[in-house]
Amino acid sequence: MVPFGLGTIDLPNTWEVRSQITLLEPEDEGLQAPLAMRQSSAKPRANFVISRQKTDAGTAADARREFLEQSAQAIPGLKLHGESEVGFGDGSEGASVTLSFSATPQIRLAQRHVFRKDDDVLTQIVVTVDEHRLAELDGKLLEVVRSFVAAKS
């Protein structure tokens, strides 16, 4: 278990607090390319982005629906792989969607967006991998997501 508390700051109570943290897998060493006398570029790294903010959203499923509506309009070539419910290790329930899209002409990324609501705080966990690693979003990376425990405010 890796704690990642963000600390405290003294702000006026009228300010809105939104927090975000990014967690990255180790860099690939790159593949040897002996004919070029160098290494090829490293593959895209799997990463988790965890965002939390106060919300008026009704449920995690409502947040997922709103995200999908916005993404469908904003991301060309978006491919939907499926929606599901997610149970967390602490007993909380969430809603997820898996999708893929082109990041560059050569790279397609796959993402699982997981939403959960704890009281009035919405947490969105986004796991991103190279599209060739899509199956990992339902395997070992989903297990990491399920281990998330919301901080008590």
Side-chain angles (χ1 to χ4, degrees):
M1 193 60 63
V2 177
F4 51 88
L6 297 175
T8 62
I9 189 166
D10 188 17
L11 289 173
N13 62 6
T14 56
W15 282 49
E16 178 180 345
V17 177
R18 294 183 181 188
S19 60
Q20 181 172 312
I21 188 165
T22 302
L23 309 163
L24 297 163
E25 77 177 333
E27 273 192 75
D28 185 9
E29 296 298 320
L31 303 174
Q32 292 295 328
L35 295 178
M37 303 293 260
R38 62 182 173 84
Q39 288 188 328
S40 66
S41 60
K43 66 181 180 184
R45 295 160 64 182
N47 67 79
F48 293 83
V49 176
I50 304 169
S51 304
R52 301 193 77 210
Q53 67 184 50
K54 288 199 181 264
T55 184
D56 293 328
T59 65
D62 293 337
R64 174 182 60 197
R65 184 173 41 260
E66 182 178 330
F67 166 78
L68 277 172
E69 289 170 0
Q70 293 172 356
S71 297
Q73 295 175 8
I75 303 171
L78 183 70
K79 180 178 179 185
L80 180 64
H81 294 276
E83 298 177 42
S84 63
E85 305 311 307
V86 174
F88 289 86
D90 64 0
S92 294
E93 293 293 322
S96 79
V97 59
T98 303
L99 46 85
S100 61
F101 57 92
S102 292
T104 70
Q106 298 82 24
I107 297 174
R108 280 191 63 84
L109 298 177
Q111 293 183 329
R112 175 171 278 212
H113 292 254
V114 180
F115 302 87
R116 76 178 256 169
K117 188 170 177 215
D118 297 283
D119 298 322
D120 64 345
V121 177
L122 178 68
T123 301
Q124 180 179 4
I125 303 172
V126 182
V127 187
T128 304
V129 296
D130 184 280
E131 190 175 41
H132 294 100
R133 297 173 65 185
L134 179 66
E136 292 180 44
L137 295 176
D138 291 325
K140 65 182 183 179
L141 297 176
L142 179 57
E143 291 309 309
V144 173
V145 170
R146 288 180 174 170
S147 73
F148 176 81
V149 176
K152 303 297 179 208
S153 43

